[in-house]
Each structure stands twice: as structure tokens, then as C-alpha cells.
Amino acid sequence: MSGQALGAPGVSAAEPATGRHDLAGTGVLYRLALRRDRIALPVWLYVGTGMVASTVFSFRKLYGDAASRRTFAAGVDGNGSLRALYGPIFDGSTTGGLTAWRMGVFGAVLAALMSTLLVVRHTRAEEEDGRLELIGAGAVGRRAPLTAALAAALTANAALAALVAATLLAAGQDAAGALAFGLALGTAGLFFAALAAVTAQLAETGRAANGLAGAAIGAAFVLRAIGDSGTGAGWVGWLSPLGWSEQVRAFAGNRWWVLLPPLAGAALLTALARALVGRRDLGAGLLPQRPGPAAAAPGLASAAALARRLQRGPLLGWTLALAAGGAVFGGVAKGVVDLIGDNRQMAEVLARMGGQQGVLDAYLSSIAGVFGMVAAAYAVQAVLRMRAEEVSGRAEPVLAGAVSRSRWAAGHLLFPLLGTALPLAAAGVTAGLAEGLALGGGTGTAVGRMLGATLVQLPAVWLTAAVALAAYALLPRRAAAGWTGFGVFVLVSWLGPVLRLPQGVLDLSPFSHLPHLPGGRFDAAPLLWITALTALTSAAALAGLRRRDLG
């Protein structure tokens, strides 16, 4: 397929489309993108807004006066590990300033991930599945899909900025600061949306495009952490788009001009992506692909081996990511303990989130729960890989041979069921090592405690995967509902204790029933019934998969 205009009226296939023909069909594709993401986008927005709402609510409860807020801020600014993780506090006298500190970096990362996945889904992933070729056979300009995806990302980030600002206003915070903070998150999302548009032109697959953009987000986080660590390299933070987001200094002067770098960067990257679209063939990437061997290896002669080949890349990526996260969060354990000190209110909040024997155990238990939720996200992704194989038509030739649907599914399900133990174990080991080194204690004991705390998350991860499997097997056209189950579990477990939701609501999430390790009492009963529920849900899902039409 040529890299020129795709069926645009009055445009020759041998000449580049220009003018209005280049964007023909953009409006229709934009509305289609929003319709296809009518579930995923509200979930992203709800998570982002809910995180900000819970944070401002917590700070209002914990630090009701300016003096206590200044004392807290002074402790953070004197703690290099916390500065590297969250950034400096520019104004510790207001609740809004503390919220901007706590959620500035991670809110921007959330916006970046949302934007990246949205743009790649509606550009490179559409090409990979062949749908964009069918769409291009009509009156659609060559750059219309890219423009529509970026317009959808603009809409999503504008909605996120508006909702975050409205949340802070509803909490009684300064209007200018609320708007500045919302725009800081929204412009960060726009920058990474444009960056994802470029990676979608470079890579040949959606996974590779997401991987390149994800690596850029990780590099931006590292650069910002170096700049904020207080080691005299503050200028390094200005090299990071995430650093720009915090340098807006919402509620601390509101430096509106800092919104210009991400907007200018987004404009330049968008122009680059539009130029690259015309320099490649549809379905191809600009980066050369390594040719595979002429014949398959003997180890690929089964459906399970094929599933292993397809799933090993994401498993490795998630394992490395969780290992890095374990090292970071384990390393700041001493900083958390020093910061809390005798603050009983903060210790009470951490204790409600997990752990019963001291602030350190409560903190480690809470981050172990976060690792479990991240592993659950990987499990859902691994399950829904079957849907991608089915929709793309690659599953059909496999199942046309002497391979049953159950055997085909079993090869993929090994990864969300057994494979999730690997990233959780990696997180436990690195967190334990970092904690032991930071606190000066024995690393062996610390590793053992954290390994147990992360691996105890497995039953809840399995149930989340089983819910996704049921959505795929029983409602294939609504397979994305598997992410809805994951979102409900995470929101209930994460925000429920802080917002003091009723116990009946907290019980909806399997993560709420897990033992709070380290420090809490180990009880095997909830692990057993969660595992039993996982088995029943999976069995029902596989029975439905065997009975429905493929595709």
C-alpha cells in the first residue's frame, strides 16, 4: 500500500494529498475514536480525578492549619529521597500546594500513559490490525487518522485538566492555582500524545510504539528525579517534560509561561509525525525490522510455544518495571519513617492502608499492595492478548489444526496465572534489598519480608485476570470490560480506606481481603476462597469460549 493519499476524492494515488483532501474524514474518525474509547477514557479520567480528590481530602484532614503544613513541607524538603520521588514543595502553607507536590509528577505520568495508549491505539494498532487499510479505501485523507487520534488526545487531556481544576475548586482551593495545576497535567499529556504519534510512525507494531513512548516517559521521570534530588543538578530537571509540569508551580506563583515548552514541543512533534506519515508505506514503520529465521525453531511447534513467544516480551518489560519500582520505593523507606516521626495522624492513615505493626510495616504493606495492582494490570493485558490474536485473524489458522480452544487459551493463561509471580517476586527482592541498605539492617530479612508481602498479592491478581477472561470469552465484543473490573478493584482498594467507604464497598475488591504483610497477621482463608472463586470464574469463561463463534 502506498504511503500517499488513501482514496481521497479527486486525488491521484501517485501524488501526495494536500489541502482539505489530506484531512478528509478526520471528523468521522475523531467521533469513532471517542466512541470506541467511551469506556476506557472515562476510567482514566476517573482515576486521575479521584487520585487528586483523595489527596486533597487527606491533606485537609491531616494538616488543618498552615503551621502544621509548613512543618510537614520542611520535613519533605530536607529529605532527598522524597524530593527525588515526588519533587520539591514550592508552597507548603496551603492544601493546594501540598496536593500539587504530591500529585504533580504522578498525575503527569498518568496523563502521559493515557495519551500514549490512546494515540497508538488509533494509529499504529489500527494499521497493524488492517482496519486502517479498509478505512483508507474510502474518502479518507492520508493524515486523517493521525489527526483524529491527536484530536481525541486533546479532548481527553482538556477534560482531565478541567476535572482536576474543578475538583480543587470544590475543595476550596485558589482558582488560579487549580487552573494552573490542571493545565500542567493536561499539557504534559499533550506532549506525550505527540511523542506517541512519532513513535507510531517509527515502529511497525503497536507494542513497539508503546514501548518506545514508555521508555521516553521513564527517561523523563529519571531526569526529573535527578534534578529534584538536591544534589546541585537542578538544571537537569528542565530537560524533562515531567519537570516542566512541576515547574508551573501551581499555588506557588503560577508560572503560566512554563506551559509554553510542552505546548511548543507538542506542536513540533505533531509536525514531525505528520511529515513522517508521508514518508512510509501504510502498515510499515520507519525503523528497520530484524528479519526472522527462514524456518521456525523446533521449540515453536505447539500452541503453548507460540503463546510463550508472543507473551515473553511484555512479561520481561513488566518485570523490569516492577523491579525498578521496588528499588525506588524500598529506597525511600527511611525517608518515610523520618518524615512521619511522631505524627500520629499520618501514621493512622498509613495503618488504614495496610500493616499493623509500625509505620514502616504500614508503608511497606501499602507499596506491596500497589505492586499487586500493577501486576494485575499486566495480567489483564496478557489475557486480552487472546482477543487481539482473534481479531487480527492469527488465531484462526492455529485453531484450524489439531488444537482445541482450551489448549490454545491455556498457553496464554499461563502468563497471567503463573507469569505474574515473576514481576511480583522481582519487586519484592529489589524493594527488600533497597530497604535493608537504606535502613542499615540485614538485607536477607528485609528481602524475605517483602517477598512474602508481594507474593501474597497473587490470588487477587488471579481473580482480576479471571474477570478479564470472562469478559473476553462471554462478551467478546466487550472484551475491554476486563479493564473495567480492574479499575473497580483498584479504585475501591486505593481510595476506599482514605475516603472511609463502607465495609460492604471495600469488600468488592479482592485486594481488600489480602493479609497486610509485612507486619499484619497472615490468614490463609481469604487466599483460598479468592483462589476458588478464580477457578470457578475461569472454568465458566473457558466453557463459554468453547461454545461461541470465533471472531
Side-chain angles (χ1 to χ4, degrees):
M1 179 69 67
S2 170
Q4 311 299 336
L6 302 180
V11 179
S12 169
E15 299 177 357
T18 58
R20 63 184 181 87
H21 296 304
D22 198 28
L23 300 177
T26 298
V28 176
L29 293 179
Y30 166 72
R31 293 191 293 272
L32 177 62
L34 293 183
R35 186 181 186 282
R36 291 185 61 199
D37 282 340
R38 64 188 181 277
I39 295 177
L41 276 184
V43 169
W44 279 105
L45 296 176
Y46 183 74
V47 169
T49 307
M51 290 169 61
V52 172
S54 66
T55 302
V56 70
F57 174 83
S58 298
F59 278 126
R60 285 178 60 182
K61 289 291 184 181
L62 291 169
Y63 306 101
D65 58 86
S68 62
R69 289 192 288 267
R70 289 193 184 96
T71 300
F72 173 82
V76 170
D77 281 335
N79 193 307
S81 58
L82 289 178
R83 284 174 58 94
L85 186 59
Y86 298 112
I89 298 181
F90 295 109
D91 179 16
S93 63
T94 64
T95 303
L98 293 181
T99 303
W101 160 75
R102 180 61 180 81
M103 289 306 305
V105 174
F106 288 96
V109 169
L110 181 75
L113 291 174
M114 174 187 71
S115 303
T116 294
L117 295 175
L118 189 154
V119 170
V120 172
R121 169 179 165 82
H122 296 294
T123 54
R124 172 53 61 186
E126 292 290 272
E127 291 188 43
E128 186 179 1
D129 291 337
R131 285 190 290 266
L132 203 55
E133 185 173 3
L134 295 176
I135 292 173
V140 175
R142 182 69 173 94
R143 293 174 175 81
L146 174 65
T147 306
L150 289 172
L154 174 61
T155 301
N157 284 285
L160 178 63
L163 289 171
V164 166
T167 299
L168 291 170
L169 281 174
Q173 303 308 303
D174 175 67
L179 180 60
F181 184 62
L183 290 176
L185 301 187
T187 52
L190 284 179
F191 178 88
F192 284 101
L195 180 63
V198 173
T199 64
Q201 314 311 314
L202 299 177
E204 192 167 321
T205 65
R207 285 188 297 166
N210 281 325
L212 289 174
I217 296 173
F221 186 90
V222 171
L223 288 173
R224 182 215 54 82
I226 294 173
D228 290 339
S229 61
T231 58
W235 61 270
V236 177
W238 284 95
L239 302 177
S240 166
L242 300 179
W244 302 338
S245 179
E246 68 178 16
Q247 288 298 330
V248 172
R249 299 193 180 185
F251 301 99
N254 303 323
R255 300 200 295 185
W256 302 100
W257 64 269
V258 184
L259 297 173
L260 294 178
L263 290 175
L268 291 174
L269 290 171
T270 298
L272 176 60
R274 287 175 54 82
L276 295 178
V277 167
R279 295 179 176 273
R280 64 178 182 85
D281 291 336
L282 186 69
L286 293 174
L287 294 179
Q289 295 293 308
R290 185 181 65 179
L300 288 176
S302 68
L306 176 60
R308 183 175 67 250
R309 176 65 177 82
L310 295 172
Q311 297 271 12
R312 69 183 185 186
L315 175 59
L316 177 60
W318 284 93
T319 300
L320 293 176
L322 277 176
V328 170
F329 285 100
V332 301
K334 185 178 186 301
V336 170
V337 174
D338 293 342
L339 177 64
I340 292 173
D342 296 327
N343 190 321
R344 295 182 179 178
Q345 290 177 311
M346 178 65 82
E348 180 185 346
V349 170
L350 282 175
R352 288 201 304 270
M353 296 181 67
Q356 302 171 6
Q357 298 179 8
V359 171
L360 177 60
D361 285 343
Y363 168 72
L364 295 176
S365 176
S366 67
I367 65 169
V370 171
F371 291 145
M373 296 172 195
V374 174
Y378 160 68
V380 173
Q381 182 192 59
V383 168
L384 295 184
R385 181 57 194 257
M386 291 188 290
R387 177 61 179 169
E389 292 295 296
E390 180 181 346
V391 171
S392 65
R394 292 188 291 267
E396 188 172 357
V398 175
L399 294 172
V403 177
S404 67
R405 295 189 186 186
S406 297
R407 205 171 90 194
W408 171 73
H412 286 276
L413 292 178
L414 285 175
F415 288 84
L417 295 180
L418 299 181
T420 45
L422 183 59
L424 283 173
V429 170
T430 56
L433 286 172
E435 176 211 342
L437 293 173
L439 297 176
T443 56
T445 301
V447 168
R449 294 194 326 142
M450 282 307 298
L451 194 57
T454 54
L455 291 181
V456 82
Q457 309 292 321
L458 278 172
V461 173
W462 293 339
L463 183 56
T464 308
V467 170
L469 177 63
Y472 159 66
L474 303 177
L475 302 169
R477 295 172 65 89
R478 301 289 183 268
W483 286 109
T484 303
F486 164 78
V488 170
F489 292 163
V490 169
L491 289 175
V492 168
S493 300
W494 197 351
L495 303 181
V498 176
L499 300 179
R500 300 188 179 183
L501 297 178
Q503 187 61 42
V505 177
L506 296 178
D507 289 341
L508 294 176
S509 172
F511 292 96
S512 300
H513 300 275
L514 300 176
H516 296 307
L517 300 178
R521 183 175 64 89
F522 178 79
D523 185 3
L527 305 182
L528 294 176
W529 71 254
I530 292 175
T531 304
L533 185 58
T534 299
L536 290 174
T537 305
S538 301
L542 291 175
L545 179 63
R546 288 194 298 268
R547 286 172 172 78
R548 72 169 174 83
D549 291 337
L550 193 67

